[in-house]
Amino acid sequence: MHIHDYEKLWLGLSLVMIVGFIATVTYGAVGAGVEMIDDSGDTVDPNSLADHPEFGDPGVEQVGPNEYDVHVIARQFVFQPDPIVVPANSTVTFYVTSADVTHGFEVVGTNANAMVIPGEVAELTVEVNEPNEYGIICHEYCGSGHHDMEGLLRVVP
Ligand code: CUA
């Protein structure tokens, strides 16, 4: 009886490993050559951000009654736009990418933070409740100006 249980356990583990392996291979294949240039994609060409429909003019866009999308470009050593201004009591999704090297994007004092990697779009959604101001900092070393790389998130009434 116990042996039978172990067999089922091992069979289950094997299946998990096989599925994980397939997922890894598939993901790797997608990451290798596909370049999706749109809002919902998770990759972007860092060399043509100026021509991108959203990153070409990064900023805040209202997408629902209390919902906003914010496209942000991190580059040595600024965040664009700066400041980012959004209304209180809303849901805000940041789409952040880099124009040069790997940066970080962290809204100070919140749990909102992400690695910002050239070619990839970091997506993070936050709820903003009360009017306030938050610093935005880069938490990945990105060059001589890293320690001064700051932005501002302004939540307005
Ligand atoms: Cu950008 Cu550190």
Side-chain angles (χ1 to χ4, degrees):
M1 196 60 191
H2 280 93
I3 290 172
H4 189 66
D5 287 343
Y6 276 118
E7 279 177 356
K8 280 202 282 193
L9 178 64
W10 280 110
L11 183 63
L13 283 176
S14 303
L15 284 172
V16 167
M17 287 182 68
I18 289 166
V19 169
F21 182 70
I22 290 170
T24 303
V25 169
T26 306
Y27 181 79
V30 169
V34 175
E35 182 180 288
M36 200 189 307
I37 309 287
D38 77 74
D39 196 10
S40 59
D42 59 357
T43 65
V44 66
D45 181 0
N47 298 312
S48 62
L49 292 180
D51 300 324
H52 187 276
E54 277 91 21
F55 288 114
D57 184 21
V60 180
E61 177 190 5
Q62 185 165 12
V63 295
N66 297 298
E67 283 181 52
Y68 297 83
D69 282 355
V70 185
H71 285 77
V72 180
I73 295 177
R75 66 172 81 235
Q76 291 167 319
F77 296 99
V78 294
F79 293 101
Q80 298 174 288
D82 182 26
I84 296 167
V85 182
V86 295
N89 301 306
S90 58
T91 301
V92 179
T93 300
F94 295 99
Y95 298 88
V96 192
T97 195
S98 168
D100 39 44
V101 301
T102 297
H103 296 277
F105 178 90
E106 178 175 345
V107 182
V108 178
T110 77
N111 62 358
N113 82 73
M115 291 264 288
V116 182
I117 299 165
E120 297 186 13
V121 179
E123 179 181 334
L124 53 158
T125 300
V126 301
E127 302 282 343
V128 297
N129 300 318
E130 296 180 10
N132 205 342
E133 287 192 350
Y134 301 89
I136 295 172
I137 60 166
C138 175
H139 59 76
E140 291 290 327
Y141 183 76
C142 55
S144 61
H146 162 71
H147 295 288
D148 294 323
M149 184 164 169
E150 296 174 347
L152 185 66
L153 173 64
R154 187 174 287 151
V155 181
V156 298

